[in-house]
Amino acid sequence: MHRSTASPTLPTGRTLGLSLALVSAFAFGGSGTAAKPLIEAGLSPLHVVWLRVTGAAVALLPIAYRHRDAVLRRPGLLIGFGLLAVAGVQACYFAAISRIPVGVALLIEYLGPPLLIGYVKFVQRKPISRGAAIGAGVAVAGLACVVEVWNGLSFDALGVLFALGAACCQVGYFVLADAGRRGERPVDPLAVSAFGLLIGAVLLTVFTRPWQADWSTLGGSVVMNGHTLPALLPAAWMILIATVLAYLTGVIAVGHLSPPVAGVVANLEAVVATVLAWVLLGEHLGLPQIAGGLLVLTGAFAAQTGKPAAAEAAEAGGAPGSPERVTAERQVSGRTSRTSRGD
């Protein structure tokens, strides 16, 4: 049986990780723009989500087959990724927007990066760079402007709870993507994405009941900003770009960046979604949204340009040979050796 090992990659490091994280954020950001014409044509939001995840799972079946031994190597990791990073985020988010405004739900969901920083610092007890912490705060402030949260602020306890659930599931995405590359039985990030989407598709099938949808809609046309186009075109974009490419690049990026930094960069998804809705759907941006987008970009830049947390600890760790400095130097050394191996 084929063993799931790390795939050979192009030159590694923070630059590659940032590039992949940006590709992932841009790809994820186009999902709403592609889904909206399908929803307006008659498909329910939940059925569009099922189409997105299931279509991506089918597209990645060859990868899942090639790395089929990953099911035996890390079954808990794959189930967790499918449950949290795929089905959990989608189900909680759509449950939230059924009770509270979309902008509020989106803002709460993207509290994921600050929650991730808290998880890494207080649960995993790992150091957090100042850049990641500052960048997360600036990005969240920018997101509040992008979604214009003040225009739809209302309180529904259950809706807020669902949105917080989506944020927690987003934390699971980054934590599990990082965990897959570690331990005695590492799993190729491509396998994590492929099996995660496959498991998520199975879970969403039970939840959404796709047999009740009118799938003949996909054989017709949809309207996007006054232009008519085949329904299969936005469906294909949503599946292949906004899901397959987005998950593959996102999971690989976490391996080259720390999860907190990757999480902050992922906030660009909301900015991309807003800009694409402006260009392709005619949903115009206001000054607060433009200013918020600049803040999100600033936060992402601050997060990824700061020194790694281990390096900061080494500089502040006191005299050579002190326990703090020894620990920090080992962390830096370990990160360097992982990079040189292409992990």
Side-chain angles (χ1 to χ4, degrees), residues 120-217:
V120 172
K121 183 174 181 60
F122 298 109
V123 178
Q124 294 185 334
R125 298 187 179 278
K126 295 180 180 179
I128 298 296
S129 69
R130 287 188 295 270
I134 294 172
V138 173
V140 169
L143 282 171
C145 297
V146 169
V147 302
E148 294 185 329
V149 64
W150 51 84
N151 286 335
L153 191 61
S154 63
F155 183 78
D156 180 289
L158 189 56
V160 171
L161 186 62
F162 280 129
L164 284 173
C168 292
C169 288
Q170 190 185 68
V171 172
Y173 168 86
F174 293 104
V175 172
L176 292 173
D178 183 58
R181 303 177 67 94
R182 304 183 183 279
E184 297 179 356
R185 295 177 295 173
V187 177
D188 192 295
L190 300 182
V192 174
S193 296
F195 281 104
L197 286 165
L198 186 61
I199 293 169
V202 173
L203 294 173
L204 286 171
T205 297
V206 177
F207 183 71
T208 61
R209 300 178 182 178
W211 51 86
Q212 296 179 350
D214 180 14
W215 296 111
S216 63
T217 302

Side-chain angles (χ1 to χ4, degrees), residues 60-142:
L60 292 179
L61 277 177
I63 293 178
Y65 178 77
R66 181 188 177 194
H67 298 285
R68 56 194 180 275
D69 68 311
V71 176
L72 300 177
R73 291 163 64 83
R74 301 286 290 277
L77 173 75
L78 301 180
I79 293 173
F81 193 85
L83 178 63
L84 297 176
V86 180
V89 171
Q90 304 291 344
C92 288
Y93 176 70
F94 278 96
I97 63 176
S98 69
R99 307 185 67 92
I100 60 178
V102 172
V104 178
L106 188 63
L107 177 63
I108 295 175
E109 178 186 349
Y110 275 90
L111 291 176
L115 291 176
L116 177 60
I117 287 176
Y119 176 85
V120 172
K121 183 174 181 60
F122 298 109
V123 178
Q124 294 185 334
R125 298 187 179 278
K126 295 180 180 179
I128 298 296
S129 69
R130 287 188 295 270
I134 294 172
V138 173
V140 169

Side-chain angles (χ1 to χ4, degrees), residues 28 81 85-86 90 173 193 197 243-252:
F28 271 125
F81 193 85
V86 180
Q90 304 291 344
Y173 168 86
S193 296
L197 286 165
T243 310
V244 172
L245 178 63
Y247 270 97
L248 292 181
T249 53
V251 171
I252 296 174

Side-chain angles (χ1 to χ4, degrees), residues 232-276:
L232 287 176
L233 187 59
W237 179 276
M238 180 179 65
I239 292 170
L240 299 177
I241 304 299
T243 310
V244 172
L245 178 63
Y247 270 97
L248 292 181
T249 53
V251 171
I252 296 174
V254 174
H256 297 293
L257 301 171
S258 67
V261 172
V264 175
V265 176
N267 278 332
L268 291 173
E269 176 188 339
V271 179
V272 173
T274 305
V275 172
L276 288 179

Side-chain angles (χ1 to χ4, degrees), residues 21-89:
L22 290 173
V23 170
S24 179
F26 275 78
F28 271 125
S31 61
T33 302
K36 188 168 183 177
L38 299 174
I39 294 173
E40 292 178 342
L43 287 176
S44 73
L46 286 179
H47 287 144
V48 171
V49 170
W50 179 87
L51 174 65
R52 174 188 178 186
V53 174
T54 304
V58 172
L60 292 179
L61 277 177
I63 293 178
Y65 178 77
R66 181 188 177 194
H67 298 285
R68 56 194 180 275
D69 68 311
V71 176
L72 300 177
R73 291 163 64 83
R74 301 286 290 277
L77 173 75
L78 301 180
I79 293 173
F81 193 85
L83 178 63
L84 297 176
V86 180
V89 171

